[in-house]
Amino acid sequence: MPELPEVETYRRFIDQTCLHLPISEVEVQDPKRQLQLDLDDFRKALVGNQFTSTQRLGKQLFLETQNGPVVHLHFGMTGDVAFYKDESETPRFARAVFHFQNGFKFAFIDSRKFGRLGLTQSVDVFRKQKKLGPDALTITAAALASGLGKKSAAIKTLLLDQRIAPGIGNWLADEVLFQAKLHPERPANSLLAPELETLANAIRDVLETAVAAEAIYRDFPAHYLIHAREWDTAPAAATPDAHLHCPHCQHLIEKKYVGGRATYFCSHCQK
């Protein structure tokens, strides 16, 4: 599932390929399922228009245009992007294709069709409508404290709440808590000010590391928990004998469900 690091990588890719190119046509394969407005209205807003800049908020990507409306992309479970010219290069699961006047095309790819496309007035309007918190990549301890408030729920559960720090998914929350040495079931309202500072720093550090690695998880540092998680296909950096042991203390990594989500942690390092 595309998380914040993947979406940030997509944003940077779009910046390098799709900006300032007049749009000549827009195709959406299954508009009733994946488009959040009428297809004719979507085309009317974009044909003859052009993307001028991009923004990201959590896992949401926004393409600002020359003539006003902002295209919103949510990648669901299998979303991706492509930029190409020849028709033969069209990705198999291209669900929406933006044609540019210079002959190139930009595709929104989504094999399982859980992604969504739409228009919004601005990123700020969208954020207020969806009640999203400040982006996790730039979260501060003060903003984190404000979002958590006096909530007594497990910190792992609250980190997944996009109203607090949008962009943190399940494995990211585990990694952040591992790096901050906080137990995933720790009540949020029990965190002290220094721990909130440590947590905010860990969120930013983990996300910055993931973005710098272009979300290629096998390239993450050896001391990251991601190499000790169970995956359908284990990361290349892991070995069958080591991928369930803590990279710090070599204790077995434990797995349990917190808030209904599979959670990995080290009970020795995360008291």
Side-chain angles (χ1 to χ4, degrees), residues 54-55 59 88 100 117 133 147 174 184 193 204 243 267:
T54 60
Q55 290 192 54
K59 305 174 190 179
S88 62
F100 300 114
L117 302 93
D174 287 353
R204 295 193 304 271
H243 80 283
S267 59

Side-chain angles (χ1 to χ4, degrees), residues 138-159:
T138 56
I139 194 76
T140 64
L144 192 58
S146 176
L148 294 175
K150 297 181 180 180
K151 297 179 176 67
S152 60
I155 186 62
K156 162 71 184 279
T157 300
L158 292 175
L159 284 179

Side-chain angles (χ1 to χ4, degrees), residues 249-267:
C249 70
Q250 298 307 308
H251 277 67
L252 284 175
I253 292 296
E254 297 183 30
K255 177 185 177 182
K256 68 188 306 184
Y257 286 84
V258 179
R261 305 297 298 273
T263 299
Y264 292 82
F265 63 100
C266 174
S267 59

Side-chain angles (χ1 to χ4, degrees), residues 4-77:
L4 185 153
E6 286 91 347
V7 177
E8 177 63 16
T9 300
Y10 300 164
R11 187 193 69 77
R12 296 180 182 188
F13 174 76
I14 292 168
D15 274 355
Q16 296 171 355
T17 55
C18 300
L19 300 188
H20 310 295
L21 301 176
I23 300 168
S24 59
E25 181 57 278
V26 178
E27 300 177 81
V28 181
Q29 186 184 85
D30 191 353
K32 290 185 177 180
R33 179 169 180 174
Q34 293 194 279
L35 194 58
Q36 296 176 321
L37 70 160
D38 184 79
L39 179 56
D40 289 339
D41 292 336
F42 194 58
R43 282 182 171 142
K44 184 178 179 180
L46 295 175
V47 172
N49 206 343
Q50 57 186 275
F51 303 130
T52 56
S53 62
T54 60
Q55 290 192 54
R56 182 195 48 73
L57 179 59
K59 305 174 190 179
Q60 319 287 334
L61 183 59
F62 302 89
L63 311 181
E64 297 182 330
T65 68
Q66 186 178 54
N67 298 332
V70 177
V71 177
H72 162 242
L73 303 176
H74 183 270
F75 293 91
M77 295 184 67

Side-chain angles (χ1 to χ4, degrees), residues 84-92 105:
Y84 59 98
K85 188 169 187 179
D86 295 336
E87 199 66 31
S88 62
E89 297 176 328
T90 303
R92 179 183 177 188
K105 304 172 184 67

Side-chain angles (χ1 to χ4, degrees), residues 173-233:
D174 287 353
E175 191 67 63
V176 163
L177 292 170
F178 179 73
Q179 298 301 330
K181 293 183 169 57
L182 294 171
H183 194 283
E185 293 180 304
R186 176 86 176 269
N189 60 3
S190 72
L191 296 180
L192 304 176
E195 292 174 312
L196 286 169
E197 188 72 43
T198 297
L199 181 56
N201 289 338
I203 291 171
R204 295 193 304 271
D205 289 346
V206 167
L207 290 173
E208 288 169 1
T209 297
V211 170
E214 296 185 337
I216 301 172
Y217 304 131
R218 65 176 177 270
D219 293 341
F220 284 16
H223 65 276
Y224 266 45
L225 177 68
I226 195 168
H227 301 301
R229 293 180 68 95
E230 289 179 320
W231 300 88
D232 291 336
T233 302

